Amino acid sequence: MKALKWFAIVLLGSTALLALAKPYHHEGRGGDDFREQLQALNLDAAQQASVDEILNKAKTDGKALRKSQRDLFKRMHTLDMASVTEAEINELSEAVGRNAAEKFRHRLQTRAAIAAVLTPEQREQLQQAKQARKAELRERMKHHRDAN
């Protein structure tokens, strides 16, 4: 009975700590950084509405592309490697390549659409923020390599 009581106390304490803990946030998530960079540009209301619309459409389209990629990889994992034909390998490889190209095209289109909404000064600020972020990531990777 005493053990059960201690178990309940530990469980309640752990639950309380978990409730107070910050949610896990993976640093360096590209979308979050990009949104933060855009917020720093002090967009006017019309620009903000346009950017929000572009990003919401990009999010929806991106989900479909990621689902397509997952489906292709699931298909790869269901192949019987002992009897897979060269034609099946080529067909799946080409489908993965088309999907990757579409994801890249989608990203470029989104960035171009956002750039079209910004003023030249805001585009310059965004470019500087990207360069600063790149330098920060390079420095972080250097410290990571040095630590290992």
Side-chain angles (χ1 to χ4, degrees), residues 82-148:
S83 63
V84 67
T85 66
E86 192 68 29
E88 289 173 314
I89 291 171
N90 290 338
E91 186 269 325
L92 189 55
S93 297
E94 289 170 8
V96 169
R98 284 190 302 273
N99 185 265
E102 183 60 27
K103 284 173 52 180
F104 188 76
R105 188 176 73 75
H106 175 258
R107 184 174 184 175
L108 289 176
Q109 285 176 328
T110 300
R111 298 265 173 154
I114 290 172
V117 171
L118 303 177
T119 65
E121 294 81 20
Q122 289 170 325
R123 284 193 292 271
E124 179 61 32
Q125 284 179 308
L126 185 60
Q127 187 61 32
Q128 289 172 357
K130 285 182 194 178
Q131 295 301 328
R133 178 69 180 148
K134 248 186 198 179
E136 178 187 322
L137 289 174
R138 262 192 230 111
E139 190 63 29
R140 189 179 305 159
M141 289 304 295
K142 181 181 177 212
H143 286 299
H144 179 70
R145 280 191 302 268
D146 293 344
N148 293 327

Side-chain angles (χ1 to χ4, degrees), residues 23-78:
Y24 174 74
H25 176 72
H26 176 32
E27 282 189 38
R29 298 291 302 194
D32 293 340
D33 290 340
F34 187 61
R35 284 184 186 272
E36 288 173 11
Q37 290 169 353
L38 287 172
Q39 284 178 342
L41 299 178
N42 298 320
L43 304 176
D44 64 35
Q47 287 177 311
Q48 189 63 56
S50 294
V51 167
D52 287 344
E53 183 180 331
I54 292 164
L55 290 176
N56 287 336
K57 182 181 181 329
K59 185 175 183 178
T60 302
D61 295 347
K63 280 183 180 179
L65 288 169
R66 287 188 299 280
K67 183 187 180 320
S68 174
Q69 181 180 11
R70 279 192 308 274
D71 292 345
L72 289 168
F73 278 86
K74 283 179 186 175
R75 210 168 114 203
M76 176 189 72
H77 290 294
T78 61

